[in-house]
Amino acid sequence: MDVDGSIETVGPQERIMGVNRRVLHVDLTKGMAGELHPSQEDYRRFLGGQALGKHLLLRPNIRLDPLNPNSSLGFFPGPLTGYFPGSGTCVAVGLSPLTDRLGSSISQGLIGTAIKAAGYDGIIITGKSDHLSTMVITRKGIFLDDASDLADTPNSVTEEILKTKHSGLKPAIISIGPAGENQVRFASVQSGGRTFGRQGFGAVMGSKNLKAIVIEKGKLPEVADQKAVNRISREIREMTRGVNRYTPFTVHGTASVLDSHARIGTLDSEYFSHQYSLTEGLSTADLSQQTEQDHLACPGCVVCCARKSNIKLGEQEVTTHGPEYESTFAIGINLRVYNPEDIAKLEYLCDEYGLDVLSTGAAIGFLFRAVKEGLVKFDGGVSVEIIKKLIADIVARNGLGDQLAEGASRFAIQVGPEAEQLVMAVKGLDMAAIDPRGKGGIPLYGTALAFATGPEGAHHRRSIDSRETENMVPGNVLEGKAAAVARKEQQMAAMNALGTCSWSFGGFDFETYLAAIQAVTGLTLTVEEYRQVGHREVMLTRLFNALGGEKSSGENRLPERLYTERRFPGDAVFSKEIMADLIQEFNTEMGLDSAGNPTRQSLIQLDLVEYSDLIHV
Ligand code: SF4
């Protein structure tokens, strides 16, 4: 396979294939729909997904408030979405009400394929409907439907009602729960039991009075080489079926990583205060054995990492998705909830109300820690019932819940400077389920660097040093760390532009990616050109941060506690000097200035000339 040729466009019609070359734009204020037509050059530079989304959303959103009606929210599949096993990814892109930055949130499942099959490479929503509405996208046109009767309705009920109402369309549904309607800053967006969890895009939909989007079933665009797509699909199944790397996910779902994170010391309880040990009562096997689970897979994927659990809520038996690893951490171990059934119930509540489990667990975990430090008064104590009550209060913005609904970082600012020091977030995004202080006094500097420099904050789906968490590289060997973290971030950003799942595609080599891109689109990319797609996305995200003024500038640093607080005697903390050196090395690798902003020269080198006028140095 030749992977060294330069970019050229091939295929039967001498144009990029496997995409629709149109993006739907709906202005809810005007009640009008239009189309954007990205150029051939745009597809070559950004491919799709979050890279194309950020390219289209960056300029119109500079210095807007995320909950301002004029802000944009987009849903972008990638060029590979829908064609291969494990390539169903869709990325939500927009201004995050949690972080005030241009952020992204990734979901698997069917929704990305549905958007593409409806004839669009993305959907952008601006404006605000004057009443709660559902947007219905059909082949005959786009219309807004009154959704007043769906106010306060949980996600699964909304989905069922809309599927029945629009059964003739055989639709896919995107919806928000009551948390989104009440603009909880970490409200999620749901689709078919899958979640766009991070960034609070549910609140953005709520601020636009958009309860749901209904998308008529359609047909995917033609690819450049269908035989090659079929062959690569077979190879992907062979590369994932029964292979060691994937077997734990097949057997236990994403929660299979619980044991390994506990063993390497990156899993904590009590809001990153206590290093969790498997002897405390919950392991991967417990989760599988103590909940009644069914396996779930995205179309064609043999990894089959998702889970459905049957749980009892009073007299009622319901089915919930999960427990997933992140939820087991955030609303389980983090809050000292170790009973798998309780964790499944809390996850069910978050999904139905439409809350990001990570930021929900962070807000409540922060509260408990602040109470312990005497900074906040709260008489409720710590129990599963209290956690349920707090979740309900967050959703309804009731009492203390109203403050928690602003997210841990904003709540801490209200409490005072001491409380701010307790927050475990980067750039406003609550830290994912990985504590880089690690085990045995050996800190994971690459993981810490990835979190500190992540342009969207501590986002585990885009910035992580998996070589450390997979025990391939010691955390305290600093040579080559910054370069490896920069490269990994570019690779993950490129993968999120393609529309492929990072679990299933994460183990493939570049040849597979490049062959898949060529088979679908007809584009022949080199490894470097592919990586540049991700590099461009990183630069656009950083450019937006640089332009956002006070709200989104700087802050390439770890939460203060990672520099100062040991979870036990002999635990590691990070050196500020070493981190500062690593960050400067990282900046050089990425083509950033010493403040972490893109230089004009690096934008030009990356074919981002149209953005270079926004940079003054
Ligand atoms: S690995 Fe899991 S999330 Fe990824 S495509 Fe397969 S089933 Fe879906």
Side-chain angles (χ1 to χ4, degrees):
M1 187 181 309
D2 176 16
V3 292
D4 291 316
S6 59
I7 294 172
E8 56 179 331
T9 308
V10 294
Q13 295 167 53
E14 295 292 316
R15 59 175 193 185
I16 185 165
M17 302 292 286
V19 294
N20 297 290
R21 296 179 293 281
R22 53 188 198 142
V23 171
L24 176 66
H25 173 212
V26 177
D27 183 328
L28 295 169
T29 306
K30 294 179 185 156
M32 283 172 60
E35 286 179 8
L36 306 175
H37 297 106
S39 65
Q40 177 91 1
E41 182 65 6
D42 285 339
Y43 285 105
R44 182 188 69 79
R45 291 187 300 165
F46 304 108
L47 288 173
Q50 67 187 38
L52 182 63
K54 285 185 178 171
H55 169 58
L56 296 176
L57 262 57
L58 192 146
R59 275 186 194 264
N61 286 282
I62 294 171
R63 294 207 175 86
L64 275 186
D65 186 293
L67 301 177
N68 180 306
N70 292 327
S71 81
S72 321
L73 176 63
F75 293 93
F76 285 85
L80 301 196
T81 300
Y83 295 114
F84 299 104
S87 71
T89 302
C90 183
V91 188
V93 179
L95 290 184
S96 162
L98 195 64
T99 71
D100 289 317
R101 289 158 204 276
L102 196 53
S104 62
S105 188
I106 300 161
S107 178
Q108 312 302 332
L110 297 168
I111 195 63
T113 305
I115 291 170
K116 259 182 99 168
Y120 301 105
D121 298 331
I123 299 171
I124 297 174
I125 304 143
T126 55
K128 178 179 181 179
S129 169
D130 56 13
H131 59 278
L132 196 63
S133 299
T134 299
M135 183 198 302
V136 185
I137 300 172
T138 74
R139 263 164 285 183
K140 292 186 185 144
I142 320 291
F143 61 93
L144 289 179
D145 211 7
D146 181 59
S148 311
D149 56 337
L150 293 175
D152 236 16
T153 306
N155 275 306
S156 68
V157 180
T158 298
E159 187 160 327
E160 274 318 301
I161 290 172
L162 291 174
K163 275 194 167 158
T164 305
K165 182 172 179 181
H166 300 283
S167 59
L169 302 178
K170 299 185 179 157
I173 313 278
I174 294 172
S175 69
I176 58 169
E181 291 172 54
N182 294 333
Q183 297 179 34
V184 173
R185 285 187 185 269
F186 45 91
S188 63
V189 176
Q190 291 271 324
S191 180
R194 298 304 185 103
T195 309
F196 296 94
R198 309 243 64 192
Q199 309 285 2
F201 292 139
V204 179
M205 273 181 72
S207 74
K208 296 180 178 309
N209 265 335
L210 185 61
K211 176 71 177 173
I213 306 173
V214 175
I215 302 167
E216 182 177 14
K217 187 172 181 178
K219 194 166 170 279
L220 285 169
E222 271 182 46
V223 297
D225 184 346
Q226 186 62 54
K227 278 190 183 156
V229 169
N230 296 345
R231 176 179 50 75
I232 295 165
S233 293
R234 280 196 302 276
E235 288 169 4
I236 285 173
R237 277 189 211 98
E238 280 158 25
M239 285 190 283
T240 47
R241 196 192 308 274
V243 174
N244 276 351
R245 178 189 169 95
Y246 297 106
T247 305
F249 292 103
T250 308
V251 176
H252 297 293
T254 58
S256 64
V257 297
L258 189 157
D259 287 3
S260 54
H261 276 297
R263 283 196 197 99
I264 62 170
T266 51
L267 177 59
D268 290 345
S269 64
E270 298 170 62
Y271 197 49
F272 300 97
S273 305
H274 171 79
Q275 189 175 64
Y276 178 74
S277 157
L278 288 170
T279 58
E280 289 176 60
L282 183 65
S283 66
T284 295
D286 295 330
L287 274 173
S288 301
Q289 288 159 11
Q290 293 175 29
T291 49
E292 197 184 309
Q293 295 188 349
D294 288 330
H295 292 226
L296 259 188
C298 301
C301 180
V302 296
V303 177
C304 209
C305 78
R307 289 292 174 274
K308 260 186 178 178
S309 301
N310 300 319
I311 53 170
K312 275 210 143 187
L313 287 178
E315 291 306 300
Q316 200 191 356
E317 182 148 313
V318 295
T319 301
T320 178
H321 286 76
E324 304 286 346
Y325 172 64
E326 298 292 339
S327 47
T328 302
F329 157 73
I331 48 175
I333 289 169
N334 173 45
L335 304 178
R336 295 191 73 86
V337 177
Y338 297 144
N339 179 311
E341 176 116 2
D342 286 335
I343 295 171
K345 283 178 185 170
L346 291 171
E347 184 168 6
Y348 175 79
L349 281 184
C350 288
D351 287 350
E352 288 296 310
Y353 286 139
L355 288 172
D356 173 30
V357 286
L358 275 171
S359 287
T360 303
I364 297 174
F366 166 78
L367 169 71
F368 290 163
R369 173 73 195 253
V371 170
K372 203 169 169 185
E373 300 290 334
L375 300 172
V376 175
K377 274 204 164 58
F378 175 67
D379 299 329
V382 180
S383 69
V384 173
E385 288 314 308
I386 286 296
I387 294 166
K388 281 186 194 163
K389 166 91 171 63
L390 284 169
I391 289 175
D393 285 345
I394 289 170
V395 173
R397 283 187 167 273
N398 182 29
L400 178 62
D402 189 35
Q403 290 169 289
L404 293 173
E406 293 293 292
S409 298
R410 280 181 168 81
F411 180 37
I413 292 170
Q414 290 174 30
V415 176
E418 268 187 79
E420 283 185 67
Q421 300 291 310
L422 295 179
V423 173
M424 296 297 271
V426 176
K427 302 181 179 81
L429 191 70
D430 301 297
M431 224 164 79
I434 301 169
D435 187 328
R437 283 172 291 188
K439 195 163 194 159
I442 299 175
L444 306 179
Y445 267 100
T447 306
L449 180 65
F451 279 173
T453 55
E456 295 185 19
H459 196 320
H460 65 295
R461 301 294 294 271
R462 59 167 304 145
S463 308
I464 188 81
D465 189 348
S466 51
R467 300 165 320 138
E468 288 181 344
T469 50
E470 289 170 13
N471 263 337
M472 288 148 59
V473 177
N476 58 353
V477 174
L478 303 180
E479 202 180 332
K481 231 16 143 200
V485 168
R487 291 248 137 181
K488 180 76 179 178
E489 185 175 349
Q490 291 164 8
Q491 266 169 249
M492 286 181 84
M495 195 188 299
N496 292 331
L498 281 182
T500 51
C501 167
S502 57
W503 294 112
S504 61
F505 268 66
F508 301 164
D509 57 19
F510 282 118
E511 279 206 353
T512 305
Y513 288 104
L514 301 184
I517 293 168
Q518 185 169 22
V520 171
T521 66
L523 289 173
T524 309
L525 300 187
T526 64
V527 172
E528 197 46 38
E529 286 161 344
Y530 168 67
R531 212 193 310 261
Q532 278 181 355
V533 172
H535 197 171
R536 289 186 191 104
E537 188 274 339
V538 175
M539 295 306 244
L540 292 189
T541 312
R542 284 186 167 268
L543 178 61
F544 186 88
N545 289 350
L547 297 169
E550 245 179 64
K551 272 187 162 181
S552 58
S553 62
E555 295 178 24
N556 289 320
R557 60 180 165 79
L558 292 174
E560 188 60 24
R561 284 170 57 201
L562 292 182
Y563 295 117
T564 56
E565 186 177 289
R566 297 178 203 275
R567 294 163 294 176
F568 53 89
D571 191 16
V573 287
F574 289 90
S575 151
K576 285 192 175 170
E577 289 71 32
I578 292 176
M579 281 302 295
D581 288 347
L582 284 172
I583 288 170
Q584 284 315 319
E585 252 184 79
F586 173 91
N587 288 344
T588 306
E589 290 289 337
M590 200 61 105
L592 305 166
D593 65 17
S594 59
N597 298 323
T599 61
R600 185 191 285 247
Q601 192 192 5
S602 56
L603 291 177
I604 292 168
Q605 277 170 355
L606 281 166
D607 266 351
L608 295 171
V609 178
E610 73 268 47
Y611 291 104
S612 61
D613 65 302
L614 296 173
I615 288 283
H616 303 297
V617 289

